[in-house]
Amino acid sequence: MGKAYSALCRLALAAVLALGIGAASAAEKPVRIGYQKYGTLLLLKESGKLDEQLKAQGVAVEWREFPGGPQLLEALNVGALDFGITGEAPPIFAQAAGAPLVYVGVEPPAPKGEAILVPKDSPLKSVADLKGKKVALNKGSNVHYLLVKALEEAGLAYSDIQPTYLAPADARAAFEQGSVDAWVIWDPYYAAAAAATQARVLLDGVRPDGSNLVANHQFYLAERGFNDSRPQVVQTILAALRDIDAQSKGDQKAVAQRLSPQVGIPAPVLETALARMGYGVQPITPEVIAAQQKIADTFHQLGLIPKPIRVSDAIPGSKS
């Protein structure tokens, strides 16, 4: 009995030690944060404050830059990323593809931060004039939904235009060369193109009557397993984002000067873009989920995603 008890104690101790080692390894594993070359998350990276806060918790940070939300969420889907920011459309496409993402925070609406542009001398005067025209956009990005809604309100179907799917840099080249008739784009590319080419805004995310055509939310997303196992890290990131948001909203001129060398856009142009941003990380509410579900349903009806999804399945605590 004594030998058997001792053997059991040794096994139990080994199990406890193994669990302790596993927990220590998990705690020491770096958090991989995906950002785009603009916005609050980039400001947080440049400040170094989050790195300091997480270092105090024994956590290192690996910052990874992406050209857009779809690419960022592709990295999250294959296990190469833990946390990141995108607009409304990318998580819908990613969820439809089975990505294990969860929504953990949202910025207030920024409907004027995206627009449909036409060259300054274009004969096109309204969205209705886009019928049969080539329209450049980044497939699966926020502006995809802006275009869909704008066409709908103008009495056009998505099939009435010729969508040309291009990343921002390629789309701007096509726009300036005249190989597309219009370009649907977001800030800061929108502000930069308007300043450099005097492009005309056909429509942005606000209707002429002042109501929002689209919300243009920015979402903070985490890999589901990461959020479940390391919620304190996620909360530290969100708290740091709230702090940097408050600072940024209060001094956009200084923020533009700080961001300008990183983004490669003149500070005065960035000020224009920053003035159109939403500031202040907020929790995911039923109203936000409903708005996302409407976008998801629209994309499914258009055949842009292969199957219907429930956005609520990508909320922390859901059983998806």
Side-chain angles (χ1 to χ4, degrees):
M1 182 74 175
K3 289 183 178 180
Y5 180 78
S6 296
L8 284 172
C9 285
R10 286 195 298 273
L11 286 171
L13 178 59
V16 169
L17 288 172
L19 286 171
I21 291 169
S25 298
E28 293 166 3
K29 186 177 179 182
V31 54
R32 301 161 300 175
I33 301 177
Y35 68 99
Q36 298 178 49
K37 211 166 187 176
Y38 179 65
T40 306
L41 206 47
L42 175 58
L43 285 171
L44 184 58
K45 172 185 179 292
E46 295 304 314
S47 75
K49 292 181 179 179
L50 179 63
D51 301 72
E52 293 174 7
Q53 292 170 358
L54 287 178
K55 184 178 180 181
Q57 298 178 24
V59 180
V61 181
E62 292 181 2
W63 295 94
R64 301 182 179 180
E65 182 183 324
F66 293 86
Q71 295 91 338
L72 187 152
L73 289 182
E74 183 179 347
L76 184 146
N77 191 24
V78 299
L81 204 65
D82 302 309
F83 185 96
I85 182 172
T86 77
E88 296 159 333
I92 289 170
F93 282 83
Q95 188 180 350
L101 63 85
V102 288
Y103 294 81
V104 295
V106 61
E107 298 275 5
K112 296 190 77 67
E114 56 182 6
I116 302 174
L117 303 180
V118 294
K120 62 180 181 179
D121 56 354
S122 170
L124 305 181
K125 303 300 181 184
S126 69
V127 175
D129 293 335
L130 292 176
K131 185 171 184 178
K133 304 299 183 183
K134 291 184 179 179
V135 181
L137 70 151
N138 193 44
K139 185 177 183 179
S141 66
N142 260 25
V143 296
H144 209 144
Y145 187 62
L146 171 63
L147 178 60
V148 168
K149 290 298 294 180
L151 292 172
E152 178 184 292
E153 294 211 349
L156 297 180
Y158 193 71
S159 57
D160 285 331
I161 65 162
Q162 299 179 50
T164 303
Y165 299 126
L166 296 169
D170 294 331
R172 177 162 171 174
F175 183 74
E176 292 184 355
Q177 292 164 9
S179 54
V180 296
D181 301 291
W183 179 23
V184 199
I185 189 59
W186 64 91
D187 277 327
Y189 305 109
Y190 159 26
T197 70
Q198 289 76 57
R200 286 191 294 107
V201 175
L202 209 57
L203 184 78
D204 62 23
V206 177
R207 297 182 180 94
D209 66 4
S211 63
N212 289 352
L213 175 63
V214 295
N216 190 29
H217 283 118
Q218 293 291 307
F219 285 104
Y220 294 104
L221 303 137
E223 193 275 332
R224 181 179 290 275
F226 176 82
N227 186 66
D228 289 346
S229 63
R230 305 175 76 182
Q232 76 287 351
V233 176
V234 173
Q235 291 309 310
T236 297
I237 297 171
L238 292 175
L241 283 165
R242 290 187 191 99
D243 289 343
I244 204 79
D245 253 351
Q247 296 170 27
S248 303
K249 186 176 182 180
D251 195 353
Q252 293 173 358
K253 189 178 187 69
V255 170
Q257 291 172 345
R258 284 172 53 198
L259 275 181
S260 181
Q262 304 294 327
V263 183
I265 294 175
V269 176
L270 279 180
E271 277 191 71
T272 299
L274 288 167
R276 296 191 283 236
M277 277 180 59
Y279 294 91
V281 184
Q282 300 174 349
I284 305 297
T285 63
E287 291 76 16
V288 171
I289 295 171
Q292 275 293 90
Q293 187 63 55
K294 187 175 180 181
I295 298 173
D297 293 344
T298 299
F299 283 167
H300 178 247
Q301 290 163 8
L302 291 170
L304 295 172
I305 57 175
K307 62 180 181 181
I309 62 167
R310 289 192 311 175
V311 173
S312 58
D313 288 344
I315 302 301
S318 66
K319 295 183 179 180
S320 176

